[in-house]
């Protein structure tokens, strides 16, 4: 069992026991309802593939598909379990699922990438659909890949079903605001937390780990929504850059829409540090927007932030969590903090089923209408019981799933 699955299951067991559920009910919940394990053959190369459908009590399974060399069944099961809790905590009429292919998309030609995408959708066509399971993009997948999957799925089932996949391009029924949704939702959660602690009106600094889609859009939304925020450090998989004067991610030397850190004006004369240095940067808020297990027992002592925002899935392992709690470092957990992605996926699905297309302002408004109350319920439960925010979010979700 990998670390993320062990951590997720331990957190669920603890929260469920505190709510009074018996072991048999808890263990039954932890088991996925369906596990699809198969292979995709592209030019004689075999790629292991997975779709775990964890829980459908509240509605169709929902969850992304990742293409990454390290994808494995335990990881996908952990992510599908967390999706069940995430959709429940956000009070969405959806269940939890997740998928992946153990492949490095950078090593594929465009034609091979399309074959992998279509092979994945072809196998799963009988098991997905707008009323069964609604996949979406995740790590290393995007609107183009989802378009291929939807096209293959519709060819297999012989009918149009645009709500069967979300995260599509605009011309195939995608939603405005979908690409920025996870980062923007994280900003909304952080704002509500800082308001609650009477810290929003004061200047605060941010260190950002991860500068892909989620990290970049978090940074741009933070600039729009929080004039008192100053990003002072950014890290990707290669380096960490620290600029105490502040980093404006909207200003870059090439004028591109999605710059790399080294292309930002404010980092031109900054020494590049090792990637892991971001964990120890002295900042008020540490944003974890990279991959799982970024904070572990080995590096948790380096953290100087008073607040951590989990925008990646499972970025803090089981060994590090109690250390952060003992140090009074607030952790705004992924189950709420990065729910913006699944919320806007849900809104895309609603638009598809209604044959509508909403402007971005309306999508963002409805995102806030769903994620802000979810955050407040979590804060309230945590304060009432003096428990970590993650446990509070898990309790709220499990009450809906196990009742």
């Amino acid at each position: 069992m990998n670390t993320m699955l062990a951590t997720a299951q331990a957190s669920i067991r603890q929260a469920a026991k505190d709510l009074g559920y018996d072991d048999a009910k808890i263990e039954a919940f932890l088991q996925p309802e369906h596990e699809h394990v198969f292979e995709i053959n592209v030019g004689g190369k075999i790629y292991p593939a997975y779709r775990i459908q964890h829980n459908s009590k509240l509605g169709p399974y929902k969850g992304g598909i990742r293409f990454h060399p390290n994808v494995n069944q335990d990881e996908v099961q952990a992510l599908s379990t967390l999706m069940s809790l995430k959709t429940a905590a956000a009070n969405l009429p959806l269940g939890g699922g997740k998928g992946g292919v153990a492949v490095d998309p950078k090593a594929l030609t465009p034609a091979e990438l399309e074959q992998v995408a279509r092979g994945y959708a072809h196998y799963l066509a009988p098991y997905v659909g707008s009323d069964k399971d609604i996949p979406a993009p995740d790590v290393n997948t995007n609107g183009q890949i989802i378009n291929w999957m939807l096209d293959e799925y519709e060819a297999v089932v012989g009918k149009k079903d645009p709500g069967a996949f979300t995260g599509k391009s605009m011309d195939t029924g995608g939603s405005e605001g979908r690409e920025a949704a996870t980062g923007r939702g994280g900003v909304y959660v952080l704002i509500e937390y800082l308001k609650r602690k009477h810290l929003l009106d004061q200047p605060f600094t941010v260190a950002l780990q991860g500068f892909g889609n989620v990290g970049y859009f978090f940074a741009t939304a933070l600039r729009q929504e929080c004039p008192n925020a100053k990003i002072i450090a950014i890290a990707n998989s290669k380096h960490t850059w620290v600029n105490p004067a502040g980093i404006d991610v909207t200003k870059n030397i090439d004028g591109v829409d999605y710059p790399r850190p080294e292309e930002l004006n404010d980092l031109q004369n900054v020494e590049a540090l090792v990637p892991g240095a971001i964990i120890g940067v002295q900042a008020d808020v540490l944003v974890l927007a990279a991959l799982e297990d970024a904070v572990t027992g080995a590096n948790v002592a380096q953290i100087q932030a008073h607040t951590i925002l989990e925008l990646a899935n499972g970025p803090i392992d089981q060994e590090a969590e109690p250390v952060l709690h003992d140090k009074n470092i607030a952790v705004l957990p992924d189950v709420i903090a990065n729910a913006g992605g699944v919320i806007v996926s849900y809104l895309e699905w609603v638009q598809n089923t209604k044959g509508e297309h909403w402007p971005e302002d309306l999508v963002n408004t409805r995102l806030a209408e769903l994620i802000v109350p979810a955050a407040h319920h979590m804060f309230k439960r945590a304060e009432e019981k003096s428990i970590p925010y993650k446990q509070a979010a898990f309790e709220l979700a499990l009450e809906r799933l196990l009742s």
Side-chain angles (χ1 to χ4, degrees):
M1 181 181 295
N2 77 355
T3 304
M4 183 164 55
L5 181 56
T7 300
Q9 291 189 346
S11 299
I12 290 168
R13 287 189 180 102
Q14 181 62 55
K17 284 182 179 178
D18 287 353
L19 290 171
Y21 294 107
D22 62 56
D23 289 346
K25 189 159 194 171
I26 298 168
E27 295 308 311
F29 170 76
L30 291 174
Q31 296 305 308
E33 292 173 356
H34 302 286
E35 299 173 285
H36 303 283
V37 180
F38 55 105
E39 294 177 334
I40 300 170
N41 186 330
V42 176
K45 292 184 179 179
I46 304 299
Y47 301 104
Y50 311 92
R51 184 71 181 174
I52 306 295
Q53 296 168 321
H54 177 257
N55 188 280
S56 59
K57 178 178 179 180
L58 300 179
Y61 305 106
K62 188 80 189 79
I65 302 163
R66 55 177 54 188
F67 287 1
H68 193 279
N70 296 333
V71 164
N72 59 74
Q73 187 170 349
D74 277 0
E75 177 192 56
V76 175
Q77 182 177 334
L79 293 166
S80 70
T81 305
L82 291 170
M83 280 301 303
S84 294
L85 272 75
K86 190 176 299 181
T87 53
N91 205 20
L92 300 178
L94 297 170
K98 206 75 176 187
V101 181
V103 61
D104 180 2
K106 296 174 185 175
L108 301 178
T109 66
E112 289 170 335
L113 183 62
E114 181 175 353
Q115 284 181 274
V116 172
R118 289 185 178 276
Y120 188 86
H122 189 95
Y123 180 91
L124 286 172
Y127 312 110
V128 300
S130 57
D131 58 349
K132 296 178 185 176
D133 183 356
I134 310 155
D138 197 78
V139 175
N140 292 331
T141 53
N142 55 27
Q144 177 59 73
I145 289 170
I146 294 298
N147 288 353
W148 287 328
M149 289 187 178
L150 176 63
D151 183 66
E152 186 69 23
Y153 160 79
E154 290 182 335
V156 172
V157 300
K159 65 176 182 179
K160 288 291 184 182
D161 186 11
F165 289 78
T166 60
K168 304 178 293 293
S169 63
M170 292 298 161
D171 58 352
T172 57
S175 176
E176 305 287 345
R178 172 65 182 85
E179 196 174 15
T182 303
R184 178 170 289 279
V187 171
Y188 291 161
V189 172
L190 179 61
I191 286 172
E192 296 308 312
Y193 170 76
L194 294 173
K195 278 182 186 174
R196 206 169 185 94
K197 298 297 180 182
H198 307 291
L199 296 172
L200 188 61
D201 294 332
Q202 304 174 21
F204 64 95
T205 55
V206 176
L208 173 60
Q209 183 198 43
F211 202 62
N213 176 293
V214 173
Y216 173 76
F217 283 111
F218 168 83
T220 56
L222 186 72
R223 181 175 175 80
Q224 294 166 359
E225 304 286 345
C226 295
N228 288 326
K230 180 165 70 172
I231 296 175
I232 61 166
I234 289 176
N236 62 12
S237 61
K238 297 178 181 177
H239 300 291
T240 293
W241 294 264
V242 181
N243 185 348
I247 304 165
D248 181 354
V249 303
T250 66
K251 295 181 179 177
N252 60 82
I253 56 175
D254 294 325
V256 296
D257 287 339
Y258 309 118
R260 295 170 297 177
E262 55 267 33
E263 296 170 337
L264 297 175
N265 287 353
D266 293 335
L267 297 181
Q268 288 307 294
N269 299 308
V270 172
E271 179 187 1
L273 307 175
V274 297
I278 192 73
I279 298 298
V281 169
Q282 187 168 356
D284 296 311
V285 180
L286 173 62
V287 180
L288 302 175
L291 291 172
E292 62 270 10
D293 299 331
V295 176
T296 67
N299 65 8
V300 65
Q302 299 173 24
I303 292 177
Q304 300 187 64
H306 62 66
T307 301
I308 297 175
L309 182 73
E310 292 188 328
L311 289 186
N313 289 310
I316 299 173
D317 78 3
Q318 190 175 354
E319 189 177 349
E321 285 181 350
V323 178
L324 295 170
H325 184 62
D326 290 345
K327 293 173 69 174
N328 292 317
I329 296 173
V331 178
L332 307 180
D334 53 4
V335 69
I336 294 291
N338 74 10
V342 71
I343 288 172
V344 175
S345 273
Y346 163 68
L347 296 175
E348 179 179 331
W349 176 73
V350 171
Q351 292 170 75
N352 293 157
T353 57
K354 291 184 174 182
E356 298 176 355
H357 186 81
W358 304 340
E360 186 172 357
D361 286 351
L362 178 57
V363 172
N364 289 340
T365 296
R366 295 197 173 170
L367 164 60
E369 288 171 351
L370 287 164
I371 203 167
V372 169
H376 281 295
H377 290 145
M378 174 182 71
F379 297 145
K380 186 170 183 287
R381 172 67 64 93
E383 290 160 5
E384 288 173 349
K385 297 185 67 174
S386 297
I387 56 176
Y389 294 123
K390 180 176 179 178
Q391 184 175 343
F394 275 36
E395 285 191 7
L396 291 165
L398 288 167
E399 284 174 348
R400 294 179 180 130
L401 291 164
L402 297 178
S403 60

